[in-house]
Every structure is written in C-alpha cells, then in structure tokens.
Amino acid sequence: DIQLTQSPSSLSASVGDRVTITCRASQSITTYLNWYQQNPGKAPKLLIYAASSLQSGVPSRFSGSGSGTDFTLTISSLQPEDFATYYCQQSYSTLLTFGQGTRLEIK
Amino acid sequence: QVQLQESGPGLVKSSETLSLTCTVSGGSISSYSWSWIRQPPGKGLEWIGYIYYSGSANYNPSLKSRVTISIDTSMNQVSLKLSSVSAADTAVFYCARYSKSSHYNYYYMDIWGKGTTVTVSS
C-alpha cells in the first residue's frame, strides 16, 4: 500500500494567515494526489485534484503543488469557513489511501 | 445536479452483515465509478472500495475478505455489504462518485453523500 503522511497533524492559525499543509507519499505518485476539506459533521469536499488543479467552485485562495512524493496545500488568506480538517488522498494506485488528516483550528 | 443518498440500518449486531445502499439521483450511474469510504468516530477517512459501472471492483486489502460492492444500473444504486462486523466497524459510511478528469487518467471523489452512521452492538 502507498502510505500518505500529513504534517502537521494539527495547526492553529488566525483569520488572514497564510497556511501550508504537507502530504508525503511512501513512494512516487507523480501528481495523482487530491485534497479534501471536511467540516465537523459534514461529508468531505474535493478542493484540489491532480496535485494542483482547482475543483470548480473552490475559492482561488486554495492552491496545491508538488509531484513525486512531496505535496503541499496552501491557503493564502484564511477565512472563518476554512477552519476544518484537511485530507490528502492518492489515486496513483488502484488501492486508494488517505492521509491521517490535518486539523486546522482558530488561534 | 447529481446527489447521493446513503441508506440502511443504523444498528447492526456483532458478527452479522452490514448492508448499505447508495442511491444516485439527478444523473446516470453509468460511465462513472462509485466508492465507499468510512470514518470511525473521531478518526480519519478510510477507503473501503470502489466499483466501475461495468461491475468490476477494487477493495481495501484490510477489508477485502469481508466486503462486497455491487451496482444496479436499473435502479441507479450502489450497494455495500460488510460481513462479520464488530465494534471496530462502527463508523459513518459515505458513498462518493469516483470521477475521471477530462484529460489524462486523474481520478478523484468529486460528489459525496451526506453519510450514514452505523453502530455495531454486541
């Protein structure tokens, strides 16, 4: 299985801050990496696919980058609705895996 | 627009089989793949498996011996069966559309149901 490790596991930040979350794969997954946002009690929502492509309707303050084994999700200026848990997920293998999640909290 | 709705018993007894259905509305089930994901209380997301509209499926190796995913194109439904459940299977279960991008072979889960909570009791 391809393991995905996210860092940090939790993060405190303020509205307006720039935040970066990292996802590292146990082997190269080229750019087959997706990012999801999950608010408490809600289903996950697709933000970024193919490492850097913004899903339709997602604000442009979200961006993704990386290839191979190292990837980042950046939120350029945090808004109140962005405080949530973020997951990376790989689709390089037919056996899918998620990262353990990064909880973004209000400072 | 396309919507997904999970349904099934909210309580299942230990050692029995959990059965859930995902009903797709607002669009056809054909030409897409469909995935099941679960989330134990307070924990992260775990992929269970997915099925192509053709009927072939891939499963998480850790659950493969207990899982069956099937598709009914006439009813626009995808089903999940998980056998020999235990308390460790208590979770919110989500179904999601597993879509392919218009270029290359990038796949992602772009539409999700709201999820259904299943508790396994002893």
Side-chain angles (χ1 to χ4, degrees):
Chain A
D1 294 12
I2 298 174
Q3 309 299 320
L4 297 178
T5 303
Q6 291 182 229
S7 60
S9 295
S10 63
L11 174 62
S12 295
S14 302
V15 172
D17 283 354
R18 179 184 180 89
V19 167
T20 296
I21 298 170
T22 297
C23 178
R24 175 164 289 175
S26 58
Q27 68 179 73
S28 176
I29 56 172
T30 64
T31 53
Y32 288 86
L33 194 282
N34 307 316
W35 289 97
Y36 302 85
Q37 175 194 62
Q38 186 179 33
N39 288 107
K42 302 293 186 182
K45 171 188 173 182
L46 177 67
L47 298 176
I48 301 284
Y49 65 94
S52 60
S53 295
L54 194 67
Q55 172 69 350
S56 177
V58 174
S60 59
R61 63 181 180 273
F62 291 93
S63 63
S65 65
S67 66
T69 60
D70 294 317
F71 303 86
T72 58
L73 172 70
T74 299
I75 310 172
S76 60
S77 179
L78 278 172
Q79 299 302 301
E81 60 269 29
D82 300 338
F83 292 94
T85 300
Y86 293 85
Y87 295 92
C88 56
Q89 175 255 320
Q90 63 80 21
S91 59
Y92 178 84
S93 167
T94 54
L95 305 180
L96 311 182
T97 47
F98 288 92
Q100 82 278 16
T102 294
R103 185 175 180 182
L104 179 54
E105 300 173 320
I106 300 175
K107 184 182 287 184
Chain B
Q1 75 266 27
V2 176
Q3 293 184 318
L4 311 182
Q5 178 68 59
E6 304 90 347
S7 60
L11 189 63
V12 180
K13 291 184 178 180
S14 183
S15 80
E16 295 189 343
T17 296
L18 177 162
S19 296
L20 297 176
T21 298
C22 175
T23 301
V24 180
S25 60
S28 174
I29 202 170
S30 300
S31 302
Y32 288 97
S33 299
W34 304 90
S35 187
W36 285 96
I37 305 96
R38 69 179 182 178
Q39 185 170 36
K43 295 188 177 181
L45 302 170
E46 180 181 31
W47 171 68
I48 298 171
Y50 62 79
I51 188 166
Y52 295 99
Y53 69 91
S54 62
S56 63
N58 285 300
Y59 301 122
N60 186 324
S62 68
L63 299 170
K64 187 174 183 178
S65 64
R66 299 194 291 130
V67 173
T68 302
I69 297 176
S70 58
I71 191 167
D72 186 337
T73 54
S74 66
M75 295 289 289
N76 251 25
Q77 292 179 333
V78 181
S79 296
L80 168 71
K81 292 188 185 300
L82 180 66
S83 64
S84 303
V85 298
S86 69
D89 295 309
T90 293
V92 177
F93 286 77
Y94 296 100
C95 64
R97 190 176 75 174
Y98 192 43
S99 296
K100 179 179 172 296
S101 64
S102 57
H103 54 282
Y104 301 107
N105 285 324
Y106 291 113
Y107 282 87
Y108 42 80
M109 300 176 212
D110 61 343
I111 300 176
W112 294 64
K114 293 183 178 180
T116 188
T117 299
V118 178
T119 301
V120 177
S121 67
S122 55

Tab-separated table of all heavy atoms in Angstrom, chain A residues 54-104:
chain	number	residue	atom	x	y	z
A	54	LEU	N	-7.560	23.155	-9.421
A	54	LEU	CA	-8.608	23.617	-8.506
A	54	LEU	C	-9.965	23.104	-8.967
A	54	LEU	O	-10.360	23.309	-10.122
A	54	LEU	CB	-8.608	25.141	-8.474
A	54	LEU	CG	-9.383	25.844	-7.369
A	54	LEU	CD1	-8.748	25.580	-6.006
A	54	LEU	CD2	-9.453	27.342	-7.643
A	55	GLN	N	-10.674	22.423	-8.078
A	55	GLN	CA	-12.003	21.940	-8.412
A	55	GLN	C	-12.932	23.122	-8.651
A	55	GLN	O	-12.830	24.165	-7.987
A	55	GLN	CB	-12.543	21.056	-7.284
A	55	GLN	CG	-13.992	20.631	-7.404
A	55	GLN	CD	-14.261	19.654	-8.538
A	55	GLN	OE1	-13.405	19.396	-9.383
A	55	GLN	NE2	-15.454	19.086	-8.562
A	56	SER	N	-13.851	22.962	-9.580
A	56	SER	CA	-14.809	24.009	-9.897
A	56	SER	C	-15.556	24.486	-8.652
A	56	SER	O	-16.017	23.673	-7.847
A	56	SER	CB	-15.812	23.480	-10.923
A	56	SER	OG	-16.803	24.447	-11.195
A	57	GLY	N	-15.630	25.802	-8.477
A	57	GLY	CA	-16.367	26.374	-7.361
A	57	GLY	C	-15.546	26.588	-6.096
A	57	GLY	O	-16.028	27.212	-5.147
A	58	VAL	N	-14.324	26.100	-6.091
A	58	VAL	CA	-13.467	26.258	-4.910
A	58	VAL	C	-12.745	27.607	-5.002
A	58	VAL	O	-12.203	27.951	-6.054
A	58	VAL	CB	-12.446	25.109	-4.818
A	58	VAL	CG1	-11.465	25.338	-3.674
A	58	VAL	CG2	-13.178	23.778	-4.618
A	59	PRO	N	-12.725	28.374	-3.908
A	59	PRO	CA	-12.083	29.692	-3.949
A	59	PRO	C	-10.612	29.624	-4.337
A	59	PRO	O	-9.906	28.675	-3.982
A	59	PRO	CB	-12.247	30.196	-2.504
A	59	PRO	CG	-13.419	29.459	-1.976
A	59	PRO	CD	-13.376	28.112	-2.612
A	60	SER	N	-10.158	30.656	-5.005
A	60	SER	CA	-8.783	30.674	-5.520
A	60	SER	C	-7.734	30.844	-4.430
A	60	SER	O	-6.534	30.745	-4.708
A	60	SER	CB	-8.633	31.782	-6.563
A	60	SER	OG	-8.938	33.044	-5.983
A	61	ARG	N	-8.134	31.092	-3.189
A	61	ARG	CA	-7.148	31.169	-2.099
A	61	ARG	C	-6.564	29.782	-1.783
A	61	ARG	O	-5.550	29.680	-1.101
A	61	ARG	CB	-7.756	31.789	-0.836
A	61	ARG	CG	-8.886	31.013	-0.217
A	61	ARG	CD	-9.415	31.735	1.022
A	61	ARG	NE	-10.522	31.013	1.657
A	61	ARG	CZ	-11.783	31.153	1.316
A	61	ARG	NH1	-12.117	32.000	0.341
A	61	ARG	NH2	-12.728	30.470	1.938
A	62	PHE	N	-7.219	28.738	-2.281
A	62	PHE	CA	-6.693	27.379	-2.132
A	62	PHE	C	-5.808	27.049	-3.342
A	62	PHE	O	-6.195	27.292	-4.485
A	62	PHE	CB	-7.819	26.348	-2.055
A	62	PHE	CG	-8.630	26.422	-0.796
A	62	PHE	CD1	-9.793	27.185	-0.755
A	62	PHE	CD2	-8.250	25.737	0.347
A	62	PHE	CE1	-10.553	27.269	0.407
A	62	PHE	CE2	-9.000	25.806	1.510
A	62	PHE	CZ	-10.151	26.577	1.544
A	63	SER	N	-4.638	26.479	-3.054
A	63	SER	CA	-3.774	26.030	-4.143
A	63	SER	C	-3.004	24.799	-3.696
A	63	SER	O	-2.778	24.579	-2.502
A	63	SER	CB	-2.802	27.139	-4.577
A	63	SER	OG	-1.930	27.475	-3.516
A	64	GLY	N	-2.622	23.989	-4.675
A	64	GLY	CA	-1.859	22.789	-4.402
A	64	GLY	C	-0.633	22.735	-5.288
A	64	GLY	O	-0.628	23.278	-6.388
A	65	SER	N	0.400	22.076	-4.782
A	65	SER	CA	1.610	21.921	-5.579
A	65	SER	C	2.313	20.633	-5.189
A	65	SER	O	1.963	19.997	-4.185
A	65	SER	CB	2.554	23.117	-5.377
A	65	SER	OG	3.025	23.157	-4.042
A	66	GLY	N	3.301	20.274	-5.982
A	66	GLY	CA	4.108	19.106	-5.687
A	66	GLY	C	4.021	18.031	-6.742
A	66	GLY	O	3.131	18.044	-7.593
A	67	SER	N	4.959	17.107	-6.651
A	67	SER	CA	4.975	15.938	-7.521
A	67	SER	C	5.925	14.921	-6.922
A	67	SER	O	6.778	15.277	-6.093
A	67	SER	CB	5.387	16.295	-8.946
A	67	SER	OG	6.728	16.720	-8.971
A	68	GLY	N	5.802	13.691	-7.356
A	68	GLY	CA	6.654	12.641	-6.802
A	68	GLY	C	6.157	12.189	-5.442
A	68	GLY	O	5.139	11.490	-5.359
A	69	THR	N	6.847	12.583	-4.389
A	69	THR	CA	6.451	12.161	-3.044
A	69	THR	C	6.036	13.301	-2.120
A	69	THR	O	5.487	13.046	-1.050
A	69	THR	CB	7.598	11.396	-2.347
A	69	THR	OG1	8.733	12.267	-2.252
A	69	THR	CG2	7.972	10.133	-3.113
A	70	ASP	N	6.282	14.539	-2.498
A	70	ASP	CA	6.021	15.669	-1.604
A	70	ASP	C	5.035	16.664	-2.202
A	70	ASP	O	5.238	17.153	-3.323
A	70	ASP	CB	7.333	16.382	-1.267
A	70	ASP	CG	8.269	15.507	-0.454
A	70	ASP	OD1	7.789	14.827	0.475
A	70	ASP	OD2	9.468	15.480	-0.758
A	71	PHE	N	4.008	16.958	-1.414
A	71	PHE	CA	2.919	17.803	-1.881
A	71	PHE	C	2.527	18.807	-0.803
A	71	PHE	O	2.705	18.555	0.383
A	71	PHE	CB	1.697	16.941	-2.236
A	71	PHE	CG	1.996	15.899	-3.266
A	71	PHE	CD1	2.511	14.655	-2.900
A	71	PHE	CD2	1.777	16.155	-4.610
A	71	PHE	CE1	2.800	13.696	-3.852
A	71	PHE	CE2	2.057	15.194	-5.569
A	71	PHE	CZ	2.570	13.962	-5.186
A	72	THR	N	1.985	19.932	-1.236
A	72	THR	CA	1.522	20.933	-0.283
A	72	THR	C	0.164	21.475	-0.697
A	72	THR	O	-0.143	21.593	-1.889
A	72	THR	CB	2.498	22.107	-0.152
A	72	THR	OG1	2.680	22.718	-1.429
A	72	THR	CG2	3.835	21.669	0.395
A	73	LEU	N	-0.635	21.783	0.320
A	73	LEU	CA	-1.883	22.527	0.151
A	73	LEU	C	-1.673	23.864	0.854
A	73	LEU	O	-1.283	23.887	2.021
A	73	LEU	CB	-3.051	21.782	0.795
A	73	LEU	CG	-4.377	22.552	0.857
A	73	LEU	CD1	-4.971	22.711	-0.542
A	73	LEU	CD2	-5.377	21.840	1.782
A	74	THR	N	-1.912	24.943	0.141
A	74	THR	CA	-1.729	26.276	0.704
A	74	THR	C	-3.052	27.031	0.681
A	74	THR	O	-3.780	27.001	-0.329
A	74	THR	CB	-0.664	27.062	-0.074
A	74	THR	OG1	0.590	26.371	0.005
A	74	THR	CG2	-0.493	28.459	0.501
A	75	ILE	N	-3.346	27.683	1.788
A	75	ILE	CA	-4.486	28.606	1.853
A	75	ILE	C	-3.875	29.983	2.032
A	75	ILE	O	-3.195	30.245	3.024
A	75	ILE	CB	-5.431	28.271	3.019
A	75	ILE	CG1	-5.804	26.778	2.997
A	75	ILE	CG2	-6.693	29.128	2.940
A	75	ILE	CD1	-6.572	26.306	4.218
A	76	SER	N	-4.098	30.853	1.067
A	76	SER	CA	-3.342	32.112	1.027
A	76	SER	C	-3.769	33.115	2.105
A	76	SER	O	-2.932	33.841	2.642
A	76	SER	CB	-3.472	32.764	-0.351
A	76	SER	OG	-4.836	33.043	-0.629
A	77	SER	N	-5.053	33.145	2.417
A	77	SER	CA	-5.552	34.073	3.428
A	77	SER	C	-6.771	33.424	4.091
A	77	SER	O	-7.852	33.401	3.515
A	77	SER	CB	-5.947	35.406	2.789
A	77	SER	OG	-6.458	36.301	3.765
A	78	LEU	N	-6.544	32.882	5.280
A	78	LEU	CA	-7.580	32.092	5.935
A	78	LEU	C	-8.864	32.880	6.169
A	78	LEU	O	-8.839	34.022	6.641
A	78	LEU	CB	-7.075	31.567	7.275
A	78	LEU	CG	-6.224	30.306	7.272
A	78	LEU	CD1	-5.661	30.055	8.655
A	78	LEU	CD2	-7.038	29.122	6.792
A	79	GLN	N	-9.968	32.223	5.848
A	79	GLN	CA	-11.291	32.760	6.134
A	79	GLN	C	-11.939	31.921	7.232
A	79	GLN	O	-11.556	30.769	7.446
A	79	GLN	CB	-12.143	32.752	4.873
A	79	GLN	CG	-11.571	33.611	3.758
A	79	GLN	CD	-11.390	35.056	4.184
A	79	GLN	OE1	-12.344	35.732	4.576
A	79	GLN	NE2	-10.145	35.539	4.125
A	80	PRO	N	-12.920	32.464	7.944
A	80	PRO	CA	-13.532	31.720	9.058
A	80	PRO	C	-14.041	30.335	8.658
A	80	PRO	O	-13.955	29.396	9.454
A	80	PRO	CB	-14.688	32.638	9.485
A	80	PRO	CG	-14.247	34.006	9.101
A	80	PRO	CD	-13.459	33.841	7.827
A	81	GLU	N	-14.544	30.202	7.434
A	81	GLU	CA	-15.097	28.918	7.000
A	81	GLU	C	-14.021	27.889	6.642
A	81	GLU	O	-14.333	26.732	6.354
A	81	GLU	CB	-16.033	29.118	5.798
A	81	GLU	CG	-15.386	29.736	4.569
A	81	GLU	CD	-15.482	31.253	4.528
A	81	GLU	OE1	-15.532	31.872	5.619
A	81	GLU	OE2	-15.512	31.809	3.411
A	82	ASP	N	-12.744	28.286	6.680
A	82	ASP	CA	-11.660	27.376	6.313
A	82	ASP	C	-11.181	26.530	7.490
A	82	ASP	O	-10.373	25.613	7.301
A	82	ASP	CB	-10.459	28.155	5.756
A	82	ASP	CG	-10.806	28.945	4.516
A	82	ASP	OD1	-11.810	28.589	3.837
A	82	ASP	OD2	-10.097	29.912	4.219
A	83	PHE	N	-11.653	26.845	8.693
A	83	PHE	CA	-11.221	26.074	9.853
A	83	PHE	C	-11.955	24.731	9.827
A	83	PHE	O	-13.160	24.650	10.090
A	83	PHE	CB	-11.439	26.873	11.135
A	83	PHE	CG	-10.527	28.069	11.213
A	83	PHE	CD1	-10.956	29.308	10.768
A	83	PHE	CD2	-9.228	27.933	11.668
A	83	PHE	CE1	-10.100	30.413	10.802
A	83	PHE	CE2	-8.370	29.028	11.717
A	83	PHE	CZ	-8.807	30.271	11.273
A	84	ALA	N	-11.197	23.704	9.498
A	84	ALA	CA	-11.747	22.384	9.195
A	84	ALA	C	-10.591	21.385	9.232
A	84	ALA	O	-9.471	21.737	9.590
A	84	ALA	CB	-12.388	22.395	7.806
A	85	THR	N	-10.890	20.138	8.865
A	85	THR	CA	-9.853	19.113	8.743
A	85	THR	C	-9.603	18.852	7.263
A	85	THR	O	-10.549	18.783	6.473
A	85	THR	CB	-10.269	17.825	9.462
A	85	THR	OG1	-10.483	18.112	10.857
A	85	THR	CG2	-9.175	16.766	9.350
A	86	TYR	N	-8.334	18.718	6.905
A	86	TYR	CA	-7.935	18.537	5.513
A	86	TYR	C	-7.261	17.174	5.346
A	86	TYR	O	-6.455	16.755	6.193
A	86	TYR	CB	-6.985	19.659	5.089
A	86	TYR	CG	-7.696	20.996	5.065
A	86	TYR	CD1	-7.831	21.756	6.226
A	86	TYR	CD2	-8.283	21.473	3.892
A	86	TYR	CE1	-8.525	22.962	6.221
A	86	TYR	CE2	-8.974	22.669	3.874
A	86	TYR	CZ	-9.094	23.412	5.042
A	86	TYR	OH	-9.787	24.590	5.035
A	87	TYR	N	-7.622	16.487	4.252
A	87	TYR	CA	-7.077	15.171	3.953
A	87	TYR	C	-6.476	15.160	2.547
A	87	TYR	O	-7.075	15.700	1.607
A	87	TYR	CB	-8.167	14.097	3.996
A	87	TYR	CG	-8.780	13.866	5.352
A	87	TYR	CD1	-9.918	14.544	5.765
A	87	TYR	CD2	-8.223	12.934	6.234
A	87	TYR	CE1	-10.482	14.328	7.001
A	87	TYR	CE2	-8.780	12.704	7.477
A	87	TYR	CZ	-9.911	13.412	7.853
A	87	TYR	OH	-10.467	13.180	9.100
A	88	CYS	N	-5.327	14.518	2.416
A	88	CYS	CA	-4.824	14.205	1.079
A	88	CYS	C	-5.214	12.761	0.762
A	88	CYS	O	-5.497	11.956	1.667
A	88	CYS	CB	-3.318	14.410	0.989
A	88	CYS	SG	-2.306	13.497	2.172
A	89	GLN	N	-5.235	12.433	-0.526
A	89	GLN	CA	-5.637	11.091	-0.991
A	89	GLN	C	-4.946	10.814	-2.309
A	89	GLN	O	-4.892	11.691	-3.183
A	89	GLN	CB	-7.161	11.028	-1.146
A	89	GLN	CG	-7.708	9.732	-1.734
A	89	GLN	CD	-8.148	9.885	-3.172
A	89	GLN	OE1	-8.736	10.888	-3.562
A	89	GLN	NE2	-7.857	8.884	-3.997
A	90	GLN	N	-4.402	9.601	-2.444
A	90	GLN	CA	-3.710	9.274	-3.691
A	90	GLN	C	-4.569	8.357	-4.563
A	90	GLN	O	-5.284	7.484	-4.058
A	90	GLN	CB	-2.339	8.652	-3.415
A	90	GLN	CG	-2.320	7.329	-2.668
A	90	GLN	CD	-2.617	6.109	-3.527
A	90	GLN	OE1	-2.470	6.151	-4.759
A	90	GLN	NE2	-3.050	5.016	-2.900
A	91	SER	N	-4.478	8.596	-5.879
A	91	SER	CA	-5.166	7.738	-6.846
A	91	SER	C	-4.163	7.170	-7.856
A	91	SER	O	-4.545	6.774	-8.959
A	91	SER	CB	-6.276	8.514	-7.558
A	91	SER	OG	-5.746	9.645	-8.223
A	92	TYR	N	-2.877	7.145	-7.472
A	92	TYR	CA	-1.859	6.549	-8.331
A	92	TYR	C	-2.065	5.034	-8.413
A	92	TYR	O	-1.954	4.425	-9.466
A	92	TYR	CB	-0.480	6.864	-7.762
A	92	TYR	CG	0.671	6.275	-8.534
A	92	TYR	CD1	1.185	6.929	-9.646
A	92	TYR	CD2	1.254	5.072	-8.146
A	92	TYR	CE1	2.248	6.413	-10.359
A	92	TYR	CE2	2.310	4.535	-8.850
A	92	TYR	CZ	2.808	5.215	-9.947
A	92	TYR	OH	3.861	4.686	-10.649
A	93	SER	N	-2.341	4.452	-7.273
A	93	SER	CA	-2.610	3.015	-7.188
A	93	SER	C	-4.111	2.777	-7.271
A	93	SER	O	-4.905	3.631	-6.888
A	93	SER	CB	-2.080	2.480	-5.855
A	93	SER	OG	-2.562	1.178	-5.594
A	94	THR	N	-4.495	1.595	-7.755
A	94	THR	CA	-5.921	1.244	-7.750
A	94	THR	C	-6.413	1.007	-6.330
A	94	THR	O	-7.610	0.936	-6.091
A	94	THR	CB	-6.181	-0.011	-8.594
A	94	THR	OG1	-5.324	-1.060	-8.144
A	94	THR	CG2	-5.919	0.264	-10.067
A	95	LEU	N	-5.476	0.861	-5.384
A	95	LEU	CA	-5.822	0.739	-3.979
A	95	LEU	C	-5.613	2.115	-3.355
A	95	LEU	O	-4.484	2.552	-3.142
A	95	LEU	CB	-4.947	-0.318	-3.295
A	95	LEU	CG	-4.969	-1.698	-3.953
A	95	LEU	CD1	-4.073	-2.672	-3.203
A	95	LEU	CD2	-6.392	-2.246	-4.041
A	96	LEU	N	-6.714	2.779	-3.079
A	96	LEU	CA	-6.654	4.171	-2.661
A	96	LEU	C	-6.287	4.302	-1.187
A	96	LEU	O	-6.605	3.424	-0.366
A	96	LEU	CB	-8.003	4.853	-2.892
A	96	LEU	CG	-8.634	4.659	-4.275
A	96	LEU	CD1	-9.946	5.441	-4.367
A	96	LEU	CD2	-7.681	5.062	-5.375
A	97	THR	N	-5.643	5.394	-0.836
A	97	THR	CA	-5.351	5.678	0.559
A	97	THR	C	-5.508	7.173	0.836
A	97	THR	O	-5.327	8.001	-0.071
A	97	THR	CB	-3.932	5.249	0.964
A	97	THR	OG1	-2.993	5.708	-0.024
A	97	THR	CG2	-3.822	3.733	1.083
A	98	PHE	N	-5.824	7.476	2.095
A	98	PHE	CA	-5.920	8.845	2.584
A	98	PHE	C	-4.800	9.113	3.586
A	98	PHE	O	-4.329	8.191	4.262
A	98	PHE	CB	-7.248	9.068	3.337
A	98	PHE	CG	-8.462	9.121	2.460
A	98	PHE	CD1	-9.200	7.968	2.195
A	98	PHE	CD2	-8.907	10.322	1.928
A	98	PHE	CE1	-10.343	8.019	1.407
A	98	PHE	CE2	-10.038	10.384	1.141
A	98	PHE	CZ	-10.759	9.226	0.878
A	99	GLY	N	-4.416	10.374	3.694
A	99	GLY	CA	-3.579	10.780	4.797
A	99	GLY	C	-4.395	10.774	6.083
A	99	GLY	O	-5.628	10.652	6.050
A	100	GLN	N	-3.733	10.953	7.214
A	100	GLN	CA	-4.414	10.855	8.502
A	100	GLN	C	-5.193	12.116	8.850
A	100	GLN	O	-5.974	12.131	9.811
A	100	GLN	CB	-3.418	10.539	9.630
A	100	GLN	CG	-2.665	11.751	10.185
A	100	GLN	CD	-1.468	12.164	9.352
A	100	GLN	OE1	-1.299	11.766	8.200
A	100	GLN	NE2	-0.622	12.996	9.958
A	101	GLY	N	-4.997	13.170	8.094
A	101	GLY	CA	-5.736	14.410	8.305
A	101	GLY	C	-4.936	15.472	9.048
A	101	GLY	O	-4.051	15.152	9.860
A	102	THR	N	-5.248	16.721	8.753
A	102	THR	CA	-4.672	17.870	9.458
A	102	THR	C	-5.821	18.742	9.926
A	102	THR	O	-6.622	19.220	9.107
A	102	THR	CB	-3.752	18.682	8.532
A	102	THR	OG1	-2.623	17.894	8.178
A	102	THR	CG2	-3.297	19.961	9.235
A	103	ARG	N	-5.900	18.932	11.231
A	103	ARG	CA	-6.969	19.750	11.804
A	103	ARG	C	-6.499	21.188	11.933
A	103	ARG	O	-5.495	21.462	12.584
A	103	ARG	CB	-7.379	19.203	13.172
A	103	ARG	CG	-8.558	19.924	13.794
A	103	ARG	CD	-8.986	19.260	15.081
A	103	ARG	NE	-10.113	19.941	15.698
A	103	ARG	CZ	-10.654	19.585	16.853
A	103	ARG	NH1	-10.194	18.532	17.489
A	103	ARG	NH2	-11.659	20.269	17.340
A	104	LEU	N	-7.199	22.080	11.276
A	104	LEU	CA	-6.864	23.495	11.286
A	104	LEU	C	-7.817	24.214	12.239
A	104	LEU	O	-9.030	24.231	12.019
A	104	LEU	CB	-6.993	24.057	9.864
A	104	LEU	CG	-6.715	25.540	9.648
A	104	LEU	CD1	-5.352	25.938	10.192
A	104	LEU	CD2	-6.798	25.851	8.151
